[in-house]
Amino acid sequence: MDNGIMLTSSSMEALSEDFRAVAHNLANISTVGYKRLQSAFFNALQSALSGSGEPAAGTLGEVEAATSIDFTQGALIPTGRPLDLALQGKGFFVIETPEGQLYTRKGSFYVNPNGQLVDTEGRTVAGQAGPIVIPSTTSPLKVRVAGDGSVSADGRPIGKLRLVEFDNVSVLESVGAACFRLTAPVTPKDALQTTVHQGYQEASNVPAVRELVRLITLTRLYQANVKSVQTLDEQMKYLLQVAMGS
Amino acid sequence: MLRAFSTAATGMTAQQMIVDTIANNLANINTVGFKRSQVDFQDLMYVKLLEPGQEVAAGVIAPSGFEIGSGVRPASTLKVFTQGEMQNTGRSLDVAIQGDGFFQVTLPGGETRYTRDGSLRVNANGQLTTSSGYTLEPAITIPSDARSISIGEDGTVSVFAGSSGSPSTVGTIALVRFSNPAGLTNEGGNLLAQSPASGAPISGTAGQGGFGTIMQAFLERSNVQMVNELVNLITAQRAYEINSRAIRAGDEMLTTANRLIS
């Protein structure tokens, strides 16, 4: 009995953490290159409830709370800005930081005063051979990026963007600003199947309707949990009454 | 739970920021040389509740961690320097830049500013100025007896003065450009100022070294596309609603939980 209440309350706690993940996804519905958080807890709960109809004893409380990142492709939105690059495929851009390399799908780039291609934070974007440098005699409006990531200025090739992919994307963790870092010593592979689209941004991959449905489901599951705590409480009250002989 | 409220609130603030930017873009749909702004967002720091690879039971390690983000923040608004539409005005002092570059003007205090607005005037001293009265840098003086003014693609200004039958060159409209125009500061009044992010101005001649060409009797319209802005406006409004829905759902969950102690 006690155990039942404990399991239910741990499930309520997990639901409210999951609710935070949904709120975070919805807050980032307009963030370029954002990849949604999905919760393993929610998925396990859903399959436990829909699978056998009746959840196995203890399933609810023992589900591990875990989030993973959903790396599905976001929609490509045209901006017409020559330094907005969007990726189609599994690849990532590589950003050089003092703490090591970061990987991102957000290709809103700029040129710093040294002519180097940089991201929104001013960190250099990795090319196949060092940073991409746009000569000062070329206007940033005249920079062309081909589908394979080759960059040319005024028709002259000036470098090629480094695009990488991972066999298992679960080694990546979010560090904010649509960037990811490796959590395990994995060597990224060259992304050969990824196409670069110039003048486009990759929109956030948060599906509004699905997140809203998830929100409603969470609310109802939470209410159901409250209800079962109340029922367990009433049962205990009844048992006590019987035991006390009143 | 309460943290989720602030997460959803950051989402609402972000959408509000988009609406503010769109409002300014739409208000400037008829401003000559205006460049539309767009807001850039970043997902906020993540809180790690469980490290991936952490031992959760004897010999069992968590295959993935549990990290939850705390919302979104506006990172920057940036001007998009794509070409605006060219509109023929027939006025000889209207000039537009087709391609990259800015006109350079001097403020009364001596500071230099940059603009794409080429609706020029002649002031009382005969100097070419912008519509706000700031003189072009380097200054170009039109003789008072000038009959007609022609401005070439490379910015050369020549006039037919007095009874002379041949044109005489009175100066050249110089252009400057920046390696990162998005880094220029907006001063209002169609003026932009240099910043550490924009890099130093590179001056040159129209039509050469990456500079655009100058077109006389044309004005560059604002590059705001009304339909795009309206679509973005609707999207922002719906996204705002969705985020407020998250707050309402959280409120409902808390209300339910409160019933436990009643």
Side-chain angles (χ1 to χ4, degrees):
Chain A
M1 191 72 72
D2 229 352
N3 198 25
I5 291 189
M6 288 306 288
L7 283 181
T8 318
S9 75
S10 90
S11 134
M12 280 166 71
E13 213 166 285
L15 278 170
S16 66
E17 292 300 353
D18 198 37
F19 173 64
R20 283 192 65 202
V22 177
H24 182 64
N25 284 341
L26 290 175
N28 283 291
I29 209 158
S30 305
T31 307
V32 172
Y34 177 75
K35 296 294 166 199
R36 69 187 269 270
L37 285 178
Q38 57 188 10
S39 145
F41 166 77
F42 186 76
N43 294 342
L45 190 66
Q46 252 190 343
S47 58
L49 286 177
S50 61
S52 58
E54 206 175 300
T59 316
L60 292 191
E62 281 170 19
V63 171
E64 270 166 33
T67 49
S68 57
I69 303 160
D70 174 6
F71 281 101
T72 48
Q73 174 85 43
L76 299 187
I77 310 288
T79 63
R81 195 177 157 264
L83 294 181
D84 276 346
L85 307 178
L87 297 178
Q88 191 161 30
K90 295 195 315 182
F92 293 87
F93 295 109
V94 181
I95 305 292
E96 303 282 1
T97 75
E99 293 83 39
Q101 292 183 332
L102 294 181
Y103 306 95
T104 185
R105 298 269 301 177
K106 179 182 175 184
S108 295
F109 297 140
Y110 303 88
V111 180
N112 73 8
N114 303 328
Q116 292 167 322
L117 197 64
V118 295
D119 75 348
T120 328
E121 308 275 280
R123 302 171 297 203
T124 51
V125 180
Q128 301 277 17
I132 306 276
V133 179
I134 291 159
S136 62
T137 51
T138 309
S139 148
L141 293 173
K142 295 246 172 80
V143 172
R144 290 285 164 269
V145 182
D148 64 348
S150 311
V151 187
S152 59
D154 267 334
R156 277 172 294 118
I158 53 169
K160 190 172 178 187
L161 290 164
R162 193 164 164 235
L163 301 174
V164 297
E165 63 179 29
F166 302 91
D167 288 328
N168 178 5
V169 283
S170 69
V171 295
L172 294 172
E173 71 170 0
S174 289
V175 292
C179 288
F180 303 95
R181 90 175 145 223
L182 282 175
T183 55
V186 177
T187 315
K189 297 191 305 178
D190 283 340
L192 302 171
Q193 307 293 326
T194 302
T195 318
V196 182
H197 293 274
Q198 190 177 19
Y200 285 84
Q201 285 184 334
E202 183 179 353
S204 161
N205 72 343
V206 177
V209 175
R210 224 164 76 200
E211 291 295 320
L212 277 181
V213 170
R214 189 172 156 198
L215 195 64
I216 295 167
T217 318
L218 275 175
T219 322
R220 298 294 168 244
L221 282 173
Y222 195 82
Q223 286 167 345
N225 275 303
V226 170
K227 187 80 194 153
S228 45
V229 171
Q230 281 171 331
T231 312
L232 288 167
D233 186 36
E234 267 161 35
Q235 278 179 357
M236 198 185 285
K237 211 162 41 178
Y238 176 73
L239 269 182
L240 279 173
Q241 278 172 354
V242 170
M244 306 293 276
S246 57
Chain B
M1 180 76 70
L2 291 169
R3 282 180 299 185
F5 284 133
S6 63
T7 304
T10 64
M12 292 174 76
T13 318
Q15 298 306 328
Q16 209 172 318
M17 197 123 206
I18 297 184
V19 174
D20 289 349
T21 311
I22 294 174
N24 186 48
N25 286 346
L26 285 175
N28 284 293
I29 202 156
N30 281 324
T31 306
V32 173
F34 179 81
K35 299 294 173 196
R36 72 186 175 87
S37 292
Q38 65 185 38
V39 198
D40 183 52
F41 293 109
Q42 288 181 346
D43 45 337
L44 281 173
M45 288 309 293
Y46 288 74
V47 181
K48 243 180 262 162
L49 302 176
L50 174 71
E51 285 279 350
Q54 190 175 314
E55 197 163 279
V56 284
V60 180
I61 57 160
S64 58
F66 192 23
E67 33 169 34
I68 292 184
S70 32
V72 63
R73 79 177 174 97
S76 62
T77 54
L78 71 104
K79 285 243 176 241
V80 182
F81 284 93
T82 51
Q83 182 76 47
E85 224 172 273
M86 290 297 184
Q87 189 191 24
N88 191 336
T89 60
R91 191 173 159 266
S92 61
L93 284 178
D94 281 343
V95 284
I97 305 170
Q98 170 82 50
D100 199 2
F102 296 90
F103 300 112
Q104 196 171 223
V105 299
T106 311
L107 299 196
E111 305 99 338
T112 306
R113 294 290 181 268
Y114 309 94
T115 183
R116 294 273 296 185
D117 178 359
S119 174
L120 302 179
R121 309 274 189 276
V122 180
N123 70 8
N125 304 327
Q127 288 171 321
L128 282 185
T129 69
T130 62
S131 51
S132 325
Y134 304 130
T135 50
L136 287 186
E137 169 74 34
I140 297 167
T141 309
I142 305 290
S144 54
D145 58 351
R147 284 180 284 129
S148 75
I149 302 169
S150 71
I151 299 166
E153 282 202 343
D154 60 351
T156 313
V157 183
S158 46
V159 294
F160 283 97
S163 54
S164 158
S166 57
S168 56
T169 305
V170 292
T172 303
I173 299 176
L175 295 185
V176 296
R177 58 186 191 80
F178 295 88
S179 50
N180 180 25
L184 293 166
T185 348
N186 293 303
E187 299 262 300
N190 254 347
L191 296 179
L192 299 158
Q194 184 193 342
S195 82
S198 65
I202 307 162
S203 42
T205 313
Q208 291 170 20
F211 284 93
T213 54
I214 290 182
M215 292 169 75
Q216 190 183 15
F218 279 87
L219 282 180
E220 185 186 9
R221 312 289 322 171
S222 144
N223 70 347
V224 177
Q225 302 282 332
M226 191 167 69
V227 175
N228 288 355
E229 298 294 328
L230 289 180
V231 167
N232 291 343
L233 189 63
I234 295 170
T235 317
Q237 196 186 348
R238 294 291 167 240
Y240 188 84
E241 266 177 45
I242 288 172
N243 276 289
S244 74
R245 183 76 185 87
I247 294 181
R248 222 185 312 153
D251 186 36
E252 223 171 283
M253 283 159 81
L254 281 185
T255 313
T256 320
N258 270 333
R259 261 184 235 134
L260 273 180
I261 49 163
S262 64

